[in-house]
Amino acid sequence: SQQGEEDPQALSIQEGENATMNCSYKTSINNLQWYRQNSGRGLVHLILIRSNEREKHSGRLRVTLDTSKKSSSLLITASRAADTASYFCATGGVGGGYNKLIFGAGTRLAVHP
Amino acid sequence: EAGVVQSPRYKIIEKKQPVAFWCNPISGHNTLYWYLQNLGQGPELLIRYENEEAVDDSQLPKDRFSAERLKGVDSTLKIQPAELGDSAVYLCASSLMGIDEQFFGPGTRLTVL
C-alpha cells in the first residue's frame, strides 16, 4: 500500500513559473524524501528532510515539512523545460526501524517553453 | 562512479514463461532493493537485502517470485511463471547501510503477452 498522496496528480506550467507539489501521509515518519523520474528512467534523489526539520533548500528546490499536518511541499522556482518529469514523495522510517521508503503515486509536471 | 546497472532494459514474454532480471549496485553499497512500479504509480518495495541476507521480503509474492544475492553484490529477481498482471517496471536500488538516500537503476520494463 502507498502512504503518500501527491497533489496535484498533474501540473502544467510555463518556463519561468514556480511549481508547487504537495504530499500528505498517514503515519509518523523519520524522514521524507523527494525523487524525480524522467520518462523511461530510474528515480533520482532530490532532497531529504528529517522529521525534526521544517524547511530545506537545495538550489531551486525548497521543501517544507509539517509533521502536525502530516504534509510536505516541494517548490521548484524559475522552472525550466528540463524540469519536466514525475515527482514522488517517499516517507522513510515509518513505524520506526530501518529506512523503508513508501512512495506516493507522484505528480507529473510539464514545463512548456 | 558507475550507477546502478540493470539488464535487460526491456523484456517481452508470453504468459507462463519464466523471466529474470539482473542488478549490479553501486560499488560498496551493501543494501540492495527491488521495487515494482506499475504505470502511473510510485515504486513499491518487493525485497531488501543487507549484504546477502534478505531482511525484508514481506511484499514479495513468493509463489512465483524469487530473488537472490549470493555474494552480497549483484542480484537476480526471477518470476516463474509470469502472469499478465506482472507487466510493469522492475527497479533496483542500492544504498550504504545506515544512509537514507537510495540510488536507482534505470529499471527493466516487462511486458507479458
Side-chain angles (χ1 to χ4, degrees), chain A residues 8-9 11 14 17-18 27 30 47 59 69-70 80 82-83 93 103 108 110 112:
Chain A
Q9 290 184 335
L11 182 60
Q14 297 294 126
E17 295 180 340
N18 295 341
T27 62
N30 174 273
I47 198 166
K69 295 181 180 179
K70 292 186 171 59
R80 306 165 182 167
D83 295 328
F103 287 83
R108 293 182 299 282
H112 302 284

Side-chain angles (χ1 to χ4, degrees), chain A residues 2 33 35 37 40 42-43 45 48 50 88 98-101 103-105, chain B residues 9 35 37 40-45 48 56 91 100-102 104-106:
Chain A
Q2 296 187 320
Q33 303 179 36
Y35 286 79
Q37 184 176 36
L43 283 77
H45 183 267
L48 179 152
R50 300 202 178 277
F88 295 90
Y98 79 94
N99 189 41
K100 177 176 181 175
L101 292 181
F103 287 83
Chain B
R9 290 293 314 278
Y35 288 89
Q37 185 177 23
Q41 298 296 313
E44 297 182 54
L45 181 70
R48 167 179 161 252
D56 184 356
L91 294 163
D100 298 321
E101 177 183 354
Q102 296 182 22
F104 283 79

Side-chain angles (χ1 to χ4, degrees), chain B residues 98-110:
Chain B
I99 302 298
D100 298 321
E101 177 183 354
Q102 296 182 22
F103 295 82
F104 283 79
T108 297
R109 182 177 296 277
L110 174 66

Side-chain angles (χ1 to χ4, degrees), chain A residues 39-41, chain B residues 6-12 21 89 106-111:
Chain A
S39 179
R41 302 283 189 91
Chain B
Q6 290 188 248
S7 69
R9 290 293 314 278
Y10 304 91
K11 189 74 177 179
I12 301 174
F21 316 123
V89 175
T108 297
R109 182 177 296 277
L110 174 66
T111 301

Side-chain angles (χ1 to χ4, degrees), chain A:
Chain A
S1 62
Q2 296 187 320
Q3 165 166 242
E5 292 185 6
E6 282 96 338
D7 170 58
Q9 290 184 335
L11 182 60
S12 181
I13 60 174
Q14 297 294 126
E15 261 192 331
E17 295 180 340
N18 295 341
T20 300
M21 289 159 266
N22 302 296
C23 171
S24 61
Y25 57 92
K26 298 173 184 174
T27 62
S28 63
I29 60 173
N30 174 273
N31 64 78
L32 188 144
Q33 303 179 36
W34 285 89
Y35 286 79
R36 183 187 72 225
Q37 184 176 36
N38 291 86
S39 179
R41 302 283 189 91
L43 283 77
V44 174
H45 183 267
L46 295 176
I47 198 166
L48 179 152
I49 187 166
R50 300 202 178 277
S51 58
N52 61 352
E53 298 176 306
R54 292 297 167 258
E55 187 171 313
K56 208 161 183 180
H57 297 255
S58 177
R60 294 184 296 112
L61 305 180
R62 172 178 169 256
V63 169
T64 62
L65 179 64
D66 187 335
T67 53
S68 66
K69 295 181 180 179
K70 292 186 171 59
S71 66
S72 173
S73 67
L74 171 67
L75 168 67
I76 304 174
T77 59
S79 63
R80 306 165 182 167
D83 295 328
T84 295
S86 290
Y87 291 82
F88 295 90
C89 70
T91 51
V94 174
Y98 79 94
N99 189 41
K100 177 176 181 175
L101 292 181
I102 301 179
F103 287 83
T107 292
R108 293 182 299 282
L109 173 66
V111 182
H112 302 284

Side-chain angles (χ1 to χ4, degrees), chain B residues 54-109:
Chain B
V55 295
D56 184 356
D57 62 356
S58 56
Q59 302 300 312
L60 189 72
K62 299 182 183 63
D63 56 336
R64 297 184 301 107
F65 286 65
S66 65
E68 60 183 16
R69 193 185 186 200
L70 293 175
K71 296 182 179 179
V73 180
D74 59 344
S75 175
T76 302
L77 177 69
K78 298 178 182 178
I79 307 174
Q80 182 171 12
E83 298 179 351
L84 295 176
D86 296 331
S87 294
V89 175
Y90 292 82
L91 294 163
C92 178
S94 69
S95 68
L96 288 167
M97 196 179 302
I99 302 298
D100 298 321
E101 177 183 354
Q102 296 182 22
F103 295 82
F104 283 79
T108 297
R109 182 177 296 277

